[in-house]
Amino acid sequence: MHSAQGQTEAAAGYLKKASRIEIQLFNFCISCHGSLILRFGSMKPVIVVHGGAGCIFKEREDGSRSGVIRAALKGYSILKQGGCALDAVEQAVALMEDDPHFNAGCGSVLNQKGEVEMDAIIMDGKNLASGAVSAVKCIANPIKLARLVMEKTEHMLLTDYGAQCFAKAMGVPEIPGEKLITERSRERWMKNLEPDSNPHKFQTDLGTVGAVAIDSEGNVACATSTGGLTNKLVGRVGDTACIGSGGYADNHVGATSTTGHGESIMKVVLARLILYHMEQGMSPEEASDTALNWMKTRVGGLGGVIVVSNSGDWAARFSTKQMSWATVKDDQLYYGIYTGERLTKSFEEALTSEGF
């Protein structure tokens, strides 16, 4: 029987001589081998969350950083207790929807009429099931409604009035729209109504939220939620609710959630593009950078992504000035906002410091 070192050296020698097609086949075999291992329940859970890519004002950095840390801790706690990836990403995103530091749920930006319209998506990598809602109003947690669409209907996306009727039928509480509007969102909306204002100047200082995870069974999932663009046209729907753009999950590859300029993300189908690059043998980090660079050069769009592979590797990458993100793997928390920033503390220490 060959030693582990001998096998590693043989594999390295083979890769040096292999063609690109052979490398892809090699990676596919490794992926399949990893999938077999997962079926025996030996996968270590991982969660990655983001609080939106763009420009985060200095006075909001601490709140944004704390928000993604708390979301990651919440999701990882579910995974650590044997919970599924779907529950982990849903609860992590719901926590950020309740946090006014983010452009999702309470804290969402306003459309031209001064109303909140929200989009959300959730996807199960096991069977490619997905549920989404768009242009929904008076709902505290659109991500929970998106999951109901996935599990209680034969459809994948409900919008506006139809989503509202479905929410009522499912017993989802309706809340006054005013409860979702923060003073900050209202001030920005009013500022952007002024004749000489430029709404696009502030389109990237509040963030969409998202989460990806892999559980101990090897199943992956993604979830994304947003309030969209400031002073957008009534009824505008961005990338978030669109499968393959705002998020995608497939146990054969991994899961990703995106953030940034929605129209640009839709043009390149960013979430699925990243997983495509991973299928060609790229690491999550390489695939993320390649896809973000393509979006920038092809359509001039900026954004950010979080990714987890079906082997538990992860990435948090962005082409904007900042993106708040956090991940927990092997009981270790990692988090950051700026390019190259990667702070860390133990899971237990983080739980204590965040008051869990």
Side-chain angles (χ1 to χ4, degrees), residues 116-137:
V116 167
E117 291 183 315
M118 303 167 290
D119 307 332
I121 191 170
I122 192 167
M123 187 168 183
D124 186 352
K126 183 191 299 186
N127 55 8
L128 304 188
S130 179
V133 292
S134 66
V136 294
K137 305 173 184 176

Side-chain angles (χ1 to χ4, degrees), residues 19 29 55 65 104 132 134 155 160 162 193 211 219 242 265 342 346:
S19 68
C29 292
C55 175
R65 197 187 305 272
S134 66
H155 309 305
D160 197 7
L193 291 178
N219 296 313
C242 300
I265 289 172
R342 184 164 165 164
S346 72

Side-chain angles (χ1 to χ4, degrees), residues 176-329:
E178 288 292 316
K179 285 196 172 183
L180 298 173
I181 300 176
T182 63
E183 188 59 33
R184 174 178 169 80
S185 293
R186 190 184 300 279
E187 287 176 358
R188 289 182 56 200
W189 170 70
M190 293 180 67
K191 180 71 175 176
N192 289 332
L193 291 178
E194 296 175 4
D196 297 329
S197 68
N198 178 15
H200 299 289
K201 180 180 179 182
F202 300 104
Q203 292 295 9
T204 55
D205 71 329
L206 279 178
T208 293
V209 301
V212 296
I214 185 167
D215 58 33
S216 60
E217 297 289 321
N219 296 313
V220 300
C222 72
T224 313
S225 182
T226 188
L229 297 177
T230 303
N231 291 65
K232 63 189 177 183
L233 291 175
V234 174
R236 178 265 184 185
V237 176
D239 64 291
T240 293
C242 300
I243 186 171
S245 292
Y248 202 84
D250 184 346
N251 279 11
H252 291 173
V253 193
T256 183
S257 169
T258 68
T259 171
H261 185 248
E263 281 70 13
S264 297
I265 289 172
M266 285 189 283
K267 288 175 182 177
V268 300
V269 198
L270 184 61
R272 190 61 187 87
L273 179 61
I274 291 168
L275 296 189
Y276 167 78
H277 287 315
M278 290 168 63
E279 288 171 329
Q280 307 311 304
M282 290 187 185
S283 68
E285 188 169 293
E286 281 181 301
S288 299
D289 288 345
T290 300
L292 285 170
N293 287 337
W294 171 247
M295 185 171 75
K296 184 177 179 179
T297 57
R298 186 68 178 87
V299 297
L302 301 178
V305 300
I306 52 172
V307 187
V308 66
S309 73
N310 63 355
S311 60
D313 294 326
W314 62 273
R317 309 293 290 178
F318 50 99
S319 55
T320 54
K321 182 180 179 182
Q322 296 152 289
M323 182 179 80
S324 58
W325 63 272
T327 184
V328 187
K329 179 179 181 179

